[in-house]
Amino acid sequence: MAAGKGRKLVIVESPGKVKSIASYLGGDYEVEASIGHIRDLPNPSELPADMKKGPFGKFAVDVDHDFEPYYVVDADKRKKVAELKRKLKDASELYLATDEDREGEAIAWHLLQALQPRVPVRRMVFHEITREAIQRAVSDTRELDQDLVDAQETRRILDRLYGYEVSPVLWRKVRQGLSAGRVQSVATRMVVERERERMAFVRASYWDVEGDFTPDGAAQQFSARLSAVDGSRVATGRDFADDGRLTGRNVIHLDEALARRIAEACLAVGEGSTRVTDVQEKPYTRRPSAPFTTSTLQQEASRKLRMSSKNSMRVAQRLYEGGYITYMRTDSTTLSDAALTAARSQARDLYGAEYVPDAPRRYEKKVKNAQEAHEAIRPAGDRFRTPAMVAGELRGEDYALYELIWKRTVASQMADARGSTATVKLTVDTALEGAHRVEFSASGTVITFKGFLAAYEEGRDDETQARADAAAEERRLPKLSTGVTLEVVRAEADGHETSPPARYTEATLVKAMEEKGIGRPSTYASTIGTIQDRGYVYTKGQALVPTWLAFAVTRLLEEHFTELVDYEFTASMEEDLDRIANGELGRVEWLQKFYFGDRATTAEGLKELVDDLGEIDAREISTIPLGDGMVVRVGRYGPYVEEVVPAGVDLETGEVAEGAAVPVAPRRATINDDIPPDEMTPAMARELLEAAADDGKVLGRDPETGREIVAKAGRYGPYVTEVIDDDETAAPTTGRGRKAAKPKPRTASLFTDMDLATIDLETALKLLSLPRVVGVDQEGVEITAQNGRYGPYLKRGTDSRSLQTEQQLFDITLEEALAIYAQPKQRGRAAAAPPLKELGADPVSGKPVVVKDGRFGPYVTDGETNATLRKGDDPETITPERGFELLAEKRAKGPTTRKRAAKKTTRKAPAKRAAKKATTKATTKKA
């Protein structure tokens, strides 16, 4: 229904907000959604013809005239803008109710520019969608904040200049179609640097001894670990550098032999040789974590719910629009007075008065570039709804994330957890040469008052350490005093290896970016999504693994655009954007320095940096040394290993050993996508080269056609094919003598139990003979045996039946085939196959998750949601976390729907109308 005269038009960003906000405002208001951004910088190719050679032709930004941008209404938003204009004609006032952050302020400004209203305009802002909040917001409006708009527009122009200047360099020197971005390139560099650390890491082994001791019987038995030998501390993992060297001072590095001798000596000691030498007890206090910010919500949702950053923000958006939580893009840990009261009263009601401190807890953000523009993420309203109260409205991920936010918020206002930590040291006199006196240590924590732990406990990124800490908190040591003698119940030598730095997960990458001041709360999820979509990073379980392409791109940027991928420089840009948002710095002034340079400091600008690149050795940039004469190169069609120094050639002198066979051309082999860079050792590279030697192996000639038969390793597995000579063509097919196209070679994949190295000509010819005619049925219809995408099968006309094994393609007889067709056709498998693997209960649905083998490949399911395993996911080794993540992503996408093809109708094309000229931004001069 069209708006009546006098009604007030309210424009929000998302359609999900319209219904609830309209109900809170009443009949005097009409609420419409812009559905996000309506205008943007066009691609240069989309500019009008008369502008392509002008000042806007390169970037859609006139860099010579105050960086004036040229904006156009997005093609898919023209209809929406026209609709909003019609609504505005009958409105008495316009309320711009987009989100209160830089992006939301910019959307409001673009609406103002596109709609050109002739009625009063008000800026309406709110942090939650509740009746009270919306009614407060509509009665307490403000003017558009031009400083926030300038900050967001500066960011947009900056990203356009960065991408359009740097990306073409990547196209020329690495691969066509690549992209560079102010934040995405730095995030990619962080992931690549971590992988470099893993590649350079040298494992070190070390040993210690674990024992069980008791002062008096099994009831008081406790475990302790060897900590010192003859006064020297026993080396642990932290005493070794990444290159495997022992760096700890005054430490003893135990090997297996000495550790076993100490264990045996401890078991053999007599009575009175083991005694307590020190007992310490200290009070234990643990404070609750601050309420959620955008980054900590993404981190915790990843740890506890196995949600990706993108998915957690998608769910949070739904909760916000539904009025369940406050605005979810924030880096503030502040709670309003009303929220503090709500959290404290709810904690008091649920857990008791002793669980609430005397004064409210207030948290100050201590992360680089933090802004206090919004509240923390918390349940919406002045009174929080408990998870039980929303259980009838929310399901699955929505409920799980709301519960997480509610618990964190309430726990943030609860009392400290209290207890005591005891540490015991005991000495064993072994009389062993080189280890006369050994010392064991044990510690345990007893929680006497749970405090906030009754409601919530923050997750840890290092699961191994988290389990160890949890075990320590649950360990209760017996009451001991100095001088008490002990009995050695058990002593066992225990070997360890140092571990390389853990790869980033989405949670830890977000945390690291926030700590370095890179990006903003609204960009974390999109940045991580972008570097995966661009092919720079992929996931293995929850870990983020860089591709070899990312190595090449990062190296080019590090060597030729050093400052642009520098962490401090990137963080300083964020700080400058904050200053623009606060009105402390001018937009044009800052862009001038970034693009054209700063004459006062002789700092190079982006333009000069690109113009003066000099020579870039594309081959060298795309080469990653592995050592031992092996390198990885990133080629036009993907990465491959190359032997630059063949076996038998001295790496330093180049001398060839006697009898060594040196190939004329360097050996090369394609790298599969599923091999992480840190696993590509020289030894593995040589294995790939040996396997590649069988690629293209000539098996012989087909006696019927005379064509050569070869075996190859393809991208989708090994196969055999025939070689057709260039001059071999079919006979002319037309009277004009035109020759038909060259015949296509027959090709067949190897069976799963076949090997490229052992395939012979006879087997290859049998494979190429498929499909095989099995025979003809009683009605004269031919039955064939074929190998398809989903396995071997029989085909009779349009009726297909699955076969059990690939070997049946060669062996099945007509009688056996007819017997199969005599059976009723079954949908799916004849009997449900057992699951390939069980992964445990899903954290969202609570139902058991299993891996199954389906028609389209292996998949995970909890009985309600199915998710196909991705490339790189092994059904046998997939972790529960990865399974839960795949299910979470599938739920977030929702059910798949197929669009029906619309019936085509013939009608006369309407006359073309001239497009309206887009507007350029009116620059605002600051005094």
Side-chain angles (χ1 to χ4, degrees), residues 625-643:
L626 298 178
D628 197 21
M630 306 296 296
V631 299
V632 170
R633 299 196 197 277
V634 180
R636 189 175 181 182
Y637 303 107
Y640 59 92
V641 292
E642 181 176 312
E643 186 181 48

Side-chain angles (χ1 to χ4, degrees), residues 698-771:
V698 178
L699 303 178
R701 289 189 177 273
D702 184 339
E704 293 185 7
T705 64
R707 293 171 181 166
E708 203 171 59
I709 306 299
V710 296
K712 293 190 172 186
R715 184 176 181 184
Y716 303 105
Y719 66 97
V720 291
T721 187
E722 59 184 349
V723 179
I724 298 178
D725 295 333
D726 291 337
D727 57 353
E728 186 177 348
T729 58
T733 57
T734 68
R736 297 175 184 176
R738 183 181 299 171
K739 290 186 177 181
K742 183 179 177 180
K744 291 184 178 181
R746 293 176 296 161
T747 300
S749 296
L750 270 61
F751 288 175
T752 53
D753 59 349
M754 295 178 181
D755 185 76
L756 191 64
T758 58
I759 187 79
D760 56 23
L761 178 63
E762 182 183 359
T763 306
L765 292 174
K766 289 175 70 178
L767 290 171
L768 292 172
S769 70
L770 296 174

Side-chain angles (χ1 to χ4, degrees), residues 220 222-223 422-424 442-446 475-480:
Q220 298 195 65
F222 64 96
S223 298
T423 302
V424 175
S443 63
T445 299
V446 177
R475 185 184 301 146
R476 186 184 294 269
L477 297 177
K479 285 289 183 182
L480 297 170

Side-chain angles (χ1 to χ4, degrees), residues 18 21 60 74 77 105 114 150 181 190 228 256 275 335 442 530 673 684 775 778 792 811:
V18 171
I21 292 177
D74 296 335
K77 293 297 177 66
E105 205 76 12
D150 282 351
M190 292 172 68
E256 181 179 3
R275 61 193 176 280
L335 291 178
T530 297
D673 297 338
M684 175 173 281
Q778 296 88 339
D811 300 342

Side-chain angles (χ1 to χ4, degrees), residues 803-815:
L803 293 174
Q804 297 297 316
T805 66
E806 291 171 313
Q807 188 60 37
Q808 286 180 285
L809 293 169
F810 298 143
D811 300 342
I812 193 167
T813 64
L814 177 61
E815 290 74 23

